[in-house]
Amino acid sequence: MTERYLKDFQAGQTFGSGRIHIDADRIKSFAAEFDPQPFHLDERAATESILGGLAASGWHTAAITMRLLVDSDLKPAGGIVAAGFDELRWPRPVRPGDELRVESEVLEIRASKSRPDQGIIKVRATTLNQNNEAVQVSVGNLIVRGRPASSGETHG
Amino acid sequence: MTERYLKDFQAGQTFGSGRIHIDADRIKSFAAEFDPQPFHLDERAATESILGGLAASGWHTAAITMRLLVDSDLKPAGGIVAAGFDELRWPRPVRPGDELRVESEVLEIRASKSRPDQGIIKVRATTLNQNNEAVQVSVGNLIVRGRPASSGETHG
């Protein structure tokens, strides 16, 4: 898959992804390092919690979503580099045994006024489980190159 | 540190955190699993990239920020559970050797109309490096219990 420059994106474009399987051991080991709270670490404690059972840290879901996006056909030239997010939420817990995929949609394209060599695309990424229920919704602003690097270009 | 219920939070409260040291090996291994792009994986490739050198994945920074928050005195009763984020951005790259800490501030408290047993606090968390430069800013909405669980309570 070729990299896409700013001109190659348009509002309404959508991209699918592969799938990643979630298992209880990685939910717990990710949480032990980054989000050590009972509902991410221990099945029994989790049943008593607001999440009603063992669930992945939202940051684990976000990281898995990034992996799915990097491997998808979105492929902005120069890589996926986010200026920031306007929205990030987890409408439903991610459970052991879930299989996640991402649907991304380009919402808006903006050329940069100060930097003609780059622009911003606004992308909504919806992470879905095997029942097509959204487990994460994000709206991010990605920095995209305007055109191929021109160091070897001749004008003539 | 005791857990805090909704009544224990007020706008303007601030909380510090401990510190976490960032090393190049963990930047690369996190990226290999979740964000395999050259500027997170390889020093030489990173110098050519928009980030100008090896830098942590934003999701790695977000996960480390979560760890610092969980270990901080914020301690909402029931745990740190985010309904979602209104903002998330990375104003500056996180480099190998950085030492990160978090300053969090309660911006707003809202009781839930539908669920008198819980409410939402809006919290800005600013992740800073050893030079007090912001590397991440987030504004999140956390679900907080209204009061201690009353299953054994008697009224009389």
Side-chain angles (χ1 to χ4, degrees):
Chain A
M1 181 63 234
T2 318
E3 290 194 319
R4 293 175 209 276
Y5 293 90
L6 202 60
K7 65 176 174 50
D8 302 318
F9 286 107
Q10 54 204 46
Q13 270 175 321
T14 59
F15 302 92
S17 81
R19 288 166 187 268
I20 290 179
H21 182 267
I22 310 300
D23 73 64
D25 284 351
R26 190 67 187 110
I27 286 178
K28 294 176 191 177
S29 64
F30 185 98
E33 183 175 2
F34 295 119
D35 192 351
Q37 304 196 88
F39 36 74
H40 302 315
L41 292 168
D42 179 85
E43 278 87 351
R44 187 177 299 189
T47 59
E48 313 275 294
S49 77
I50 186 171
L51 297 178
L54 190 71
S57 168
W59 303 109
H60 191 183
T61 304
I64 287 167
T65 298
M66 186 64 187
R67 177 59 190 255
L68 290 165
L69 282 176
V70 168
D71 291 345
S72 80
D73 284 341
L74 182 65
K75 294 260 181 296
I80 300 181
V81 177
F85 284 78
D86 298 341
E87 182 182 335
L88 174 64
R89 57 194 171 82
W90 299 290
R92 193 178 306 260
V94 171
R95 304 294 189 185
D98 278 0
E99 199 155 86
L100 304 187
R101 66 185 176 88
V102 177
E103 289 179 358
S104 53
E105 179 177 356
V106 178
L107 301 180
E108 196 183 307
I109 319 271
R110 271 175 296 154
S112 170
K113 282 167 198 164
S114 55
R115 299 199 50 177
D117 57 331
Q118 66 183 41
I120 297 275
I121 62 171
K122 191 184 288 290
V123 175
R124 187 202 296 118
T126 307
T127 313
L128 301 153
N129 64 20
Q130 65 284 0
N131 303 318
N132 290 320
E133 297 164 325
V135 296
Q136 180 181 295
V137 177
S138 69
V139 177
N141 298 293
L142 307 182
I143 300 168
V144 181
R145 289 189 186 156
R147 52 180 147 54
S150 59
S151 52
E153 209 178 340
T154 54
H155 300 272
Chain B
M1 182 62 234
T2 319
E3 289 194 318
R4 294 174 207 276
Y5 293 91
L6 202 61
K7 66 176 175 47
D8 302 318
F9 285 107
Q10 55 204 47
Q13 270 175 322
T14 59
F15 302 92
S17 81
R19 288 166 188 269
I20 289 180
H21 181 268
I22 310 300
D23 72 64
D25 284 351
R26 190 68 187 106
I27 286 178
K28 293 176 192 177
S29 64
F30 185 99
E33 184 175 2
F34 295 118
D35 192 351
Q37 304 196 88
F39 36 74
H40 301 317
L41 290 169
D42 179 84
E43 279 86 352
R44 188 176 299 190
T47 59
E48 314 275 295
S49 78
I50 186 171
L51 296 178
L54 191 72
S57 168
W59 303 108
H60 190 183
T61 303
I64 288 167
T65 297
M66 186 64 186
R67 177 58 190 257
L68 289 165
L69 282 175
V70 168
D71 292 343
S72 81
D73 284 342
L74 182 66
K75 295 262 182 295
I80 300 182
V81 178
F85 284 77
D86 298 341
E87 182 182 335
L88 174 64
R89 57 194 171 84
W90 299 290
R92 194 178 306 261
V94 171
R95 304 294 188 184
D98 278 1
E99 199 155 86
L100 303 188
R101 65 187 177 85
V102 176
E103 288 179 357
S104 54
E105 179 178 357
V106 178
L107 301 180
E108 196 182 308
I109 319 270
R110 271 176 297 156
S112 170
K113 282 168 195 161
S114 55
R115 298 199 50 180
D117 58 329
Q118 66 182 40
I120 297 275
I121 61 171
K122 191 185 287 290
V123 175
R124 185 201 297 120
T126 307
T127 313
L128 300 153
N129 64 20
Q130 65 283 0
N131 303 317
N132 290 319
E133 297 163 326
V135 296
Q136 181 180 296
V137 178
S138 69
V139 177
N141 297 294
L142 307 182
I143 300 168
V144 180
R145 288 188 186 156
R147 49 175 158 24
S150 59
S151 53
E153 209 179 339
T154 56
H155 300 269

